Amino acid sequence: MDKPFAITLKPGSSLANHTGSWRTMRPVYVDRLPPCNATCPAGENIQGWLLHAESGDYEKAWRSLVQNNPLPAIMGRACYHPCEGACNRTRLDEAVGINSVERFLGDEAIKHGWKFDAPAKASGKRVLVIGAGPAGLTAAYHLQRLGHQAVIYEAAEHAGGMMRYGIPKYRLPRDIIDAEVQRILDLGVELRLNTKVANLAEAMKEGFDAAFLGVGAHIAKRAYIPAGDADKVLDAVSVLRGMEGESAPLLGRRVVVYGGGNTAIDVARTAKRLGAEESIIVYRRTREKMPAHDFEVEDALKEGVSIKWLSTITEAGLSETGGDIMVEKMALDANGFPQPTGEYERIEADSLVLALGQDTDLSLLDNVPGLVTANGIVQVDASMMTGYPGVFAGGDMAGNDRTVTVAVGHGKKAARAIDAWLRNEQHEPDPKHELATFERLNTWYYSDAPKTVRPVLDIIRRQSTFEEVLGGLDEGNALFEARRCLSCGNCFECDNCYGVCPDNAVIKLGPGQRFQFNYDYCKGCGMCATECPCGAIAVVAEDI
Amino acid sequence: MSLQPIKFYQTGTFTVGNRLLAPEERSVQANMQRTNSLNSGHRACQGCGEALGARYAIDAAMNATNRQLIAANATGCLEVFSTPYPETSWQIPWIHSLFGNTAAVATGMAAALKVKGRSEVRVVAQGGDGGTTDIGFGCLSGMFERNDDVLYICYDNGGYMNTGVQRSSATPPAARTATTMAVGDAPGNVFGQGKFVPAIAMAHEIPYVATATVADLRDLEYKVTKAMGMHGARYIQILVPCPLGWGTPSSDTIRMARLAKETGVFPVFEAENGEVTAVLKIRKRLPVEEYLKPQKRYAHLFGKQPRVDTIASIQALADKNIRKYKLLEEGI
Ligand SMILES: Cc1cc2nc3c(=O)[nH]c(=O)nc-3n(C[C@H](O)[C@H](O)[C@H](O)COP(=O)(O)OP(=O)(O)OC[C@H]3O[C@@H](n4cnc5c(N)ncnc54)[C@H](O)[C@@H]3O)c2cc1C
Ligand SMILES: Cc1ncc(C[n+]2csc(CCOP(=O)(O)OP(=O)(O)O)c2C)c(N)n1
Ligand code: SF4
Ligand code: SF4
Ligand code: SF4
Ligand code: SF4
Ligand SMILES: [Mg+2]
């Protein structure tokens, strides 16, 4: 080559200089487990479906959500959203309204009639599912999608379990349950209503390869209370179940509810709506100790329910006509346990409703060899299998953490294990990623944005009607709410790493494709990792 | 300021890109086809703020001029690490001047282009703070005074870094350098000396003067783009932390620039014809310790006996900036 005057070398590019050899530390892209996902009892990939909702693709978001949970519209109303309690955004302003976006997606799906993706090729296996509560419905859904024929036997007249016969409709409208159950049935799941299984071993003989039990806990616990007129002492489960019947239960003008859980709150609020002038909850301990969620207590108090803390009922049915009761004041001892004080008070009442928890009716499991129960709970292993091979169980009957969401999580876990078991394999869950803690984030990059509060039904209307209390988000604020998500631990394509690298050592692969490091030039400065807002880049030592 | 904040998209205006934005609303750096004017393989230290700032600025200038750009470059790290003969990292027409005459070389190029009628081709001059505020200052002032059609970009890392971290007139007070050692009663660089060239540039009443940092990419790109849309003498000083000279981890370069801005140590503003027209407000005000403490060049302030007096003096300078440039929102 002819070179200009006084030039001795050909021009070259610095690309010949592989500065990657300087590196002692190496950046790597990682996915970390967002705390919301880690906390969701149904094992939802919340960050994953929010990512689609953020771009306004609600159908994709919904499809991603139902990979794990087939009941988003129900979830969006009934779930106590522990995910929000764990949300990293709490440390910035307020938690992301995960539950309200979930409900929005569930409602969109119903509105647009979205169906589940078609199941895998049929395996020819049949699985018996007992109980059409959230545990059974979820297990059946996943089994069907995995190619097995799920057949649900349900004792009641309608599907839903405690979601229908427990949770009041002002919190969970019944058309929502109907829509989400129907969508599961449309997958090909068979549902036999009014079919109580009295004997599991017998039922299995009808050509089933495995069984999932999700019979819930429906027998009300009683406490011994001397009562003149036993008719006036009712239990919460029956009262709430009665709400689904032809005529509402007769509770009278003054109703006393005994207990401190969410069920007690639901009964007391229901009594108000049925026209009771007074609805009083009597609870042994203090508000702080109450198992009911604080927001539900708050709602009940706003609706005019009153609560007597530190009180036990010693006698009921005292009056001629009604159910007047005697209450003894309690005081907390040094260990925080309530102790009787000898101070009594008589309360006028027309009825007393006991809300003291439920036990499971385990009679259908008599004579199943190897099956173990402890304190009325069926014991299962990590894959939800009982002591009898091929029989799995979940939901209220299999644990003390009794919520719709836990039941959904059990149903999913069991279905995956059953699928593996039917193939003579062991289900190995994917290894969990490292947690995306708040300290992993660079929150400088997120703009300030408060949580969108769902409209709360006018307080007056809600005292007398069974209309839904909590409103939903509309399209605009659902999008806003989704975009409050910090995408903890998972790349959301903000381009920061691509931009901040002083060495152009980050390759942008294009929309949805994320990024790649060019280790030929990356000097390992670690800037990309420091400036990644969501903590999706780790820095590891090079082997030198 | 006229930089348009992006409405709420999870990260607002703060990140480099945002998959939720329309492509035309994204930064130049987010573009897969960005020029990469300063390409890989350069020999800058790990985490060099100057290398980053130069790519940010020149890519934006390339974008604004339809890639019709020539740069003159003073001696200093930027030239040394990018162009060891015969290799270069520059993907633009680029000429190395002397240490002190870049402004004059750029003036000459602009004049030549004018004579040739090549009005579409634009000229940038760039150099370090030493090349700009000290040795090149005469040429620079001349370029301003004549209102030559050049954008001059000064990469301010607060010292002569390329030759081993000596003091320049842009070295901040109390900072330790090779020539302002941390010894004696008043260790480090002296108070009351040095100069802030953006203010001197404003005194020339040139069309456009601005400051920026590598921590606010959107702001930086906006200013370079705006400057390239104007003619006459323009000046932008970009704060580019230097891990070597400042004694900071290579991963924290952008963080340091952000702290300089959030503490008020480095005011970020723009001015037209000698008057300040907009400032980048402080988002979360922080005390200067937050900025000083991570830097080894200030380590002598945080020994067994912390030099609270010196820290207070630096805080007073930051407070003065905050007052003078109105860096806080009203009422804060
Ligand atoms: C009043 C009340 C309010 C609640 N509110 C909430 C709430 O807001 N959020 C929340 O997360 N959780 C709530 N819960 C708890 C939640 O409803 C339960 O944890 C959940 O429904 C349990 O699901 P499951 O599938 O295990 O059982 P269930 O929902 O109880 O379903 C079991 C099903 O099995 C059927 N069955 C039983 N025995 C047989 C048999 N032998 N043969 C055939 N079928 C049988 C039953 O008829 C029933 O349909 C509430 C519970 C109550 C009582
Ligand atoms: C006339 C002259 N004097 C001294 C030098 C040696 N020299 C080269 S670069 C440099 C310092 C550059 O400092 P600055 O302009 O701030 O750039 P930085 O390296 O800090 O980016 C010096 C003193 C020179 N090249 N020419
Ligand atoms: S910010 Fe988003 S990803 Fe992070 S915990 Fe909250 S919902 Fe989950
Ligand atoms: S910023 Fe660039 S050079 Fe630094 S570690 Fe990341 S990829 Fe490597
Ligand atoms: S910096 Fe942004 S683009 Fe890069 S990995 Fe993190 S989230 Fe993804
Ligand atoms: S000495 Fe400073 S300015 Fe020079 S290459 Fe290193 S980090 Fe960059
Ligand atoms: Mg310098």
Side-chain angles (χ1 to χ4, degrees), chain B:
Chain B
M1 83 184 302
S2 31
L3 167 66
Q4 280 305 307
I6 290 161
K7 54 182 181 288
F8 188 75
Y9 279 125
Q10 207 164 30
T11 53
T13 314
F14 307 113
T15 47
V16 169
N18 190 323
R19 70 190 175 99
L20 303 172
L21 284 178
E24 64 276 10
E25 285 184 278
R26 297 184 197 174
S27 69
V28 175
Q29 286 303 311
N31 195 323
M32 288 172 78
Q33 273 78 47
R34 73 185 185 205
T35 328
N36 274 336
S37 311
L38 181 67
N39 208 2
S40 311
H42 61 69
R43 287 147 164 89
C45 304
Q46 292 159 318
C48 173
E50 189 163 275
L52 182 62
R55 195 189 73 229
Y56 280 179
I58 302 300
D59 277 4
M62 285 286 276
N63 188 62
T65 58
N66 203 18
R67 304 196 174 194
Q68 299 298 304
L69 191 75
I70 306 179
N73 202 137
T75 310
C77 276
L78 185 61
E79 166 266 321
V80 171
F81 71 58
S82 66
T83 315
Y85 177 73
E87 277 173 21
T88 185
S89 309
W90 291 105
Q91 309 209 72
I92 58 165
W94 179 92
I95 181 169
H96 174 207
S97 68
L98 296 177
F99 187 24
N101 69 349
T102 281
V105 168
T107 293
M109 293 197 299
L113 288 165
K114 190 173 175 197
V115 169
K116 295 182 88 175
R118 297 290 302 273
S119 59
E120 80 284 9
V121 183
R122 307 296 305 279
V123 178
V124 163
Q126 52 181 358
D129 51 292
T132 305
T133 72
D134 292 343
I135 188 169
F137 191 66
C139 295
L140 181 70
S141 179
M143 184 202 109
F144 286 165
E145 170 267 322
R146 293 185 304 269
N147 199 23
D148 293 328
D149 190 18
V150 174
L151 168 63
Y152 191 104
I153 303 173
C154 168
Y155 301 101
D156 172 13
N157 53 18
Y160 292 85
M161 299 314 183
N162 187 60
T163 40
V165 195
Q166 292 86 12
R167 175 199 178 274
S168 80
S169 57
T171 301
R176 181 204 64 200
T177 67
T179 45
T180 56
M181 312 268 265
V183 292
D185 290 343
N189 192 27
V190 269
F191 279 80
Q193 295 186 359
K195 51 185 149 172
F196 187 53
V197 170
I200 303 173
M202 281 168 66
H204 289 75
E205 303 210 343
I206 54 175
Y208 191 68
V209 173
T211 60
T213 81
V214 285
D216 276 292
L217 170 68
R218 289 250 169 197
D219 175 69
L220 191 160
E221 287 189 350
Y222 155 78
K223 285 169 177 169
V224 172
T225 306
K226 179 167 176 177
M228 292 319 293
M230 302 167 95
H231 284 275
R234 290 142 287 145
Y235 178 76
I236 300 181
Q237 185 161 324
I238 305 175
L239 185 72
V240 291
C242 164
L244 181 92
W246 296 20
T248 46
S250 61
S251 54
D252 286 359
T253 301
I254 290 178
R255 192 170 85 91
M256 293 320 302
R258 185 179 299 136
L259 287 167
K261 181 221 151 199
E262 292 295 289
T263 52
V265 164
F266 188 81
V268 182
F269 63 92
E270 58 179 336
E272 289 179 47
N273 304 313
E275 278 178 60
V276 175
T277 51
V279 301
L280 199 57
K281 300 282 184 191
I282 290 173
R283 233 174 123 205
K284 295 182 176 115
R285 190 183 184 179
L286 293 167
V288 292
E289 281 99 320
E290 301 274 334
Y291 167 70
L292 302 173
K293 213 166 183 178
Q295 304 183 43
K296 289 209 188 76
R297 63 175 173 161
Y298 295 115
H300 54 276
L301 302 182
F302 299 95
K304 275 209 187 74
Q305 290 286 315
R307 294 297 302 260
V308 279
D309 52 337
T310 314
I311 297 170
S313 303
I314 297 173
Q315 182 67 58
L317 292 175
D319 291 347
K320 188 173 161 195
N321 281 338
I322 290 173
R323 271 196 315 276
K324 184 168 173 189
Y325 294 99
K326 302 187 177 65
L327 300 179
L328 287 174
E329 292 292 347
E330 296 307 319
I332 296 180

Side-chain angles (χ1 to χ4, degrees), chain A residues 14 444 483 485 494 499 501 523, chain B residues 9-10 17 44 46 55 283:
Chain A
S14 64
W444 166 263
R483 286 176 174 179
C485 173
C494 75
C501 175
K523 294 172 183 162
Chain B
Y9 279 125
Q10 207 164 30
Q46 292 159 318
R55 195 189 73 229
R283 233 174 123 205

